Amino acid sequence: MTVQVGDRLPEGTLSEFIETETAGCSLGPNTFEVADLVKGKKIVIFGLPGAYTPTCSAQHVPGYVQHADALKAKGVDEIWCISVNDAFVMGAWGRDQKATGIVRMMADGNAAYSKALGLDADFSKHGMGTRSKRYSMLVEDGVVKALNVETAGFEVSSAEKMLEQLG
């Protein structure tokens, strides 16, 4: 079952490659409980099939990096990119995309969280196994307030569309 507007995000974990060691976060991959990260925050989450893939690298991530200040001006606390890749790949891709410190590059290495959201997709015919559908959502204090799932192409999950929805 796919998560819907009004639903609370499912429990689960995501990993993030931490570039700078801080109290409670060591350098390298760190695993976080989603429920802890979303408490009391307004977060834009976008999911995509994979790091370094053409549309994801040319449009999806760059759009959120470019419009991060505008999203934050509308009250967004954090922006997350979720992909079925490991934290090392997501960290490297984030550096490549100039997203470090702007978009949290969250790894869903085994697609467990994408499956919990009901937003997983079978990319086996492309040799990529289980991946994430392309989507965006607005989450406030763990509750989904807006959800945009692509059916084909790249039309409804862009940063520009999310800005429109935020008013």
Side-chain angles (χ1 to χ4, degrees):
M1 175 113 176
T2 302
V3 69
Q4 300 291 316
V5 171
D7 289 350
R8 180 159 291 285
L9 287 178
E11 291 186 19
T13 60
L14 293 168
S15 298
E16 180 179 25
F17 190 91
I18 302 299
E19 301 284 345
T20 307
E21 191 167 0
T22 60
C25 290
S26 60
L27 181 67
N30 284 254
T31 301
F32 300 98
E33 291 289 334
V34 171
D36 294 338
L37 294 179
V38 300
K39 262 186 209 153
K41 293 182 182 170
K42 184 185 235 182
I43 301 174
V44 168
I45 300 173
F46 65 102
L48 42 81
Y52 296 101
T53 56
T55 302
C56 304
S57 293
Q59 294 178 286
H60 216 168
V61 174
Y64 280 95
V65 171
Q66 177 185 352
H67 294 292
D69 288 341
L71 289 163
K72 291 187 177 186
K74 293 187 180 276
V76 172
D77 297 300
E78 294 182 0
I79 304 165
W80 297 2
C81 173
I82 297 178
S83 184
V84 181
N85 292 105
D86 63 66
F88 293 102
V89 169
M90 291 299 285
W93 191 39
R95 288 188 299 277
D96 182 63
Q97 291 285 306
K98 311 241 183 310
T100 305
I102 301 168
V103 173
R104 294 185 75 174
M105 304 300 279
M106 307 300 273
D108 182 19
N110 294 320
Y113 202 71
S114 295
K115 289 177 184 175
L117 289 169
L119 293 170
D120 56 304
D122 184 358
F123 278 68
S124 296
K125 68 182 178 184
H126 303 292
M128 296 169 63
T130 301
R131 295 292 177 134
S132 171
K133 290 181 180 178
R134 187 178 305 281
Y135 66 89
S136 67
M137 68 172 75
L138 176 64
V139 175
E140 292 183 30
D141 197 26
V143 176
V144 178
K145 298 294 184 177
L147 178 63
N148 311 297
V149 181
E150 300 286 358
T151 54
F154 178 64
E155 297 175 12
V156 300
S157 63
S158 68
E160 294 83 1
K161 178 70 173 176
M162 184 58 66
L163 277 168
E164 288 175 20
Q165 290 176 306
L166 286 166

